[in-house]
Amino acid sequence: MATTYRSYVLGLLDQDMAFDDHAAGDPPLLLADYRRALVAVLALDPSPLLLVEGTVTPVEAAAFIAGQRAGLDAAVIAIGDGMAPGPARPRATTALPAPPGGHGGGPAGA
């Protein structure tokens, strides 16, 4: 299922980037679409492990949650790095606090 969604989203992003170069008709994605997608990812929390008495120890359950958290954190960091100005991207005109890692101009509170 995730592979299907990944392919779908990457296809939409490819179409959106192509639209930037050759605009004709309506854009495949609107700014509101990007915002909704980002909010959906940033709002994710780990799912609790469904426990059946005696099959999983508390330590294993904690490791399961920690693994999910690490994956979600990696996604958030990738989004933040993608939004932070870099050598190929111009700096934001409004001064924003530097994201963790000191890459410059990310969103406040990141």
Side-chain angles (χ1 to χ4, degrees):
M1 178 84 103
T3 302
T4 302
Y5 273 103
R6 185 174 289 109
S7 294
Y8 171 72
V9 170
L10 288 172
L12 279 175
L13 291 172
D14 283 345
Q15 290 175 25
D16 198 48
M17 288 185 286
F19 183 84
D20 287 344
D21 294 334
H22 306 285
D26 293 329
L29 293 168
L30 302 174
L31 182 58
D33 298 322
Y34 284 101
R35 285 185 184 135
R36 272 195 309 277
L38 283 171
V39 168
V41 170
L42 296 173
L44 290 173
D45 280 322
S47 300
L49 181 62
L50 299 176
L51 298 175
V52 177
E53 184 91 19
T55 59
V56 178
T57 68
V59 172
E60 291 169 329
F64 176 82
I65 297 295
Q68 285 188 64
R69 172 55 55 206
L72 292 171
D73 288 349
V76 170
I77 289 167
I79 290 168
D81 278 349
M83 290 183 150
R89 293 185 297 271
R91 292 217 170 259
T93 55
T94 336
L96 298 172
H103 297 293

